[in-house]
Amino acid sequence: MLSFATSLSPGDRIGVTAPSAGVEAAAARRINFCVDWLRDAGYDVVVGDCMDGSGITSAPARARAEELTQMLCDPSIRCVVPPWGGETAIDLLDLLDWDALTAADPTWLVGYSDLSTILLPLTTRLGWATLHGDNLADTPYTPPSGLLPWLQIASGTGPHRQQDSGLVADWWRFEEDPQATVWKRVGTGTWSVHGGESLHVTGRLIGGCIETLCNLAGTPYGDVATFGRKHSKDGLIVYLEAAGDEAATICRNLHGLRLAGWFDHARAILIGRTSAPDNPVMTQREAVLDALAPLGLPIVFDLEIGHVPPHLPLVNGALATVTVEGDCHELVQELW
């Protein structure tokens, strides 16, 4: 019921295409550096045609859908990664060739932010494991102690063990350093469990960016309720992160996911650290609790899984065990 792509190794081909936003100006220097960085690491990198950064998307929706489908179905390409997210990847979902994808062997698709819009339905509709991790622009950054690079997660079945890094970081602006490989340290943070001091739970991972995924609820591309029923024996661990919407909007979005059955088979909920603004009368944490605390599920806050770096890569479909007890803040993923 779940399919994991073949382990990725140096020498394998990685496809780069922009299903959402493209690249221009100073950003192009960063992406060129990242492509060269992957090549220096031993990978064969091919860059697609859909990369233009002059508009809100890199190309018309049909062209982006065709290029992404082609790369995911090409047996010589073992992994596809975008330069970054964007705004409207949702416009290509019904243009992807789902029949061709169903007939193809699974290929790693890696990214986060607007790429959640594509990662999630590949997992829920096709059973392909997908990797919620650094986009290409972030890939050269060295993970802090406790976290693993997505390249390592994609390179084997695990168990992949990661711990709370304690780091709150930021990106270097491309104009400052287009070749940055060390995160800009801005503070510290730690995971916390709502309603208790400890947690030990196992389930199948599914989730992504709240602002993009809320638009999929109730469509054939966001049927997490059915996915949960299929995997009810293992249960789900649903992870979510807010990119930038203020707290009341996030609250409404989370209520919508709840009403769509996203948490019906959940055993725990993971919430990413966020710099999104509070509402004048509601914090981001209160937004989560307003929508999800009535479910009675354990909620772990402030994981490194979103728009505040560094990044803890998660595999949609992986069997994960989350432990928060005393000094042990750990997430272990097994890819089977």
Side-chain angles (χ1 to χ4, degrees):
M1 296 174 67
L2 285 166
S3 299
F4 294 84
T6 303
S7 297
L8 189 66
S9 301
D12 288 341
R13 178 168 293 173
I14 294 176
V16 175
T17 184
S20 189
V23 180
E24 66 174 354
R29 293 195 293 275
R30 175 63 181 179
I31 295 306
N32 290 337
F33 167 74
C34 294
V35 168
D36 290 340
W37 187 92
L38 280 175
R39 287 172 175 157
D40 290 343
Y43 297 95
D44 176 18
V45 182
V46 293
V47 180
D49 296 325
C50 296
M51 293 289 287
D52 178 37
S54 61
I56 194 168
T57 59
S58 66
R62 189 167 297 279
R64 286 180 283 122
E66 289 176 354
E67 182 161 278
L68 181 59
T69 299
Q70 183 273 324
M71 284 191 175
L72 290 174
C73 291
D74 184 342
S76 73
I77 295 177
R78 304 288 292 279
C79 175
V80 178
V81 59
W84 33 59
E87 301 294 341
T88 60
I90 194 170
D91 65 357
L92 56 68
L93 284 182
D94 57 351
L95 299 176
L96 293 171
D97 189 337
W98 290 97
D99 290 336
L101 291 167
T102 298
D105 291 330
T107 298
W108 283 115
L109 181 62
V110 183
Y112 77 104
S113 192
D114 201 21
L115 263 291
S116 296
T117 315
I118 304 167
L119 297 173
L120 185 123
L122 285 178
T123 301
T124 57
R125 286 171 64 93
L126 300 184
W128 285 21
T130 55
L131 214 165
H132 183 272
D134 288 317
N135 295 313
L136 178 60
D138 309 321
T139 294
Y141 279 106
T142 302
S145 177
L147 305 186
L148 299 175
W150 70 259
L151 287 163
Q152 184 172 338
I153 299 289
S155 70
T157 58
H160 297 294
R161 191 177 304 274
Q162 299 183 85
Q163 291 90 29
D164 185 348
S165 72
L167 174 66
V168 179
D170 199 357
W171 295 268
W172 293 97
R173 292 188 304 113
F174 302 142
E175 294 82 2
E176 293 177 297
D177 186 0
Q179 300 184 11
T181 59
V182 177
W183 291 109
K184 181 189 295 185
R185 185 182 183 93
V186 297
T188 60
T190 189
W191 307 358
S192 63
V193 181
H194 170 69
E197 297 181 356
S198 65
L199 171 69
H200 183 78
V201 65
T202 297
R204 296 281 172 186
L205 288 166
I206 195 72
C209 177
I210 297 167
E211 288 95 327
T212 69
L213 294 185
C214 69
N215 300 290
L216 303 185
T219 78
Y221 305 102
D223 192 358
V224 172
T226 296
F227 181 80
R229 286 194 293 272
K230 290 179 179 177
H231 299 283
S232 59
K233 180 179 178 181
D234 294 325
L236 300 184
I237 296 177
V238 181
Y239 67 92
L240 295 162
E241 57 94 12
D245 280 353
E246 59 89 32
T249 299
I250 293 299
C251 183
R252 287 192 297 271
N253 292 344
L254 290 174
H255 275 290
L257 297 181
R258 176 183 59 79
L259 293 170
W262 275 44
F263 308 98
D264 289 354
H265 296 278
R267 295 179 176 175
I269 301 167
L270 311 181
I271 300 295
R273 188 174 295 143
T274 186
S275 59
D278 295 334
N279 180 275
V281 292
M282 172 180 274
T283 67
Q284 288 284 336
R285 186 183 182 101
E286 288 169 343
V288 172
L289 294 177
D290 184 271
L292 304 183
L295 296 171
L297 296 169
I299 302 174
V300 186
F301 282 93
D302 292 327
L303 278 80
E304 303 96 323
I305 56 173
H307 283 72
V308 176
H311 298 127
L312 188 160
L314 297 176
V315 175
N316 287 315
L319 189 67
T321 299
V322 179
T323 303
V324 183
E325 186 171 4
D327 293 334
C328 179
H329 295 185
E330 182 177 82
L331 189 151
V332 180
Q333 299 176 78
E334 296 182 78
L335 278 53
W336 57 267

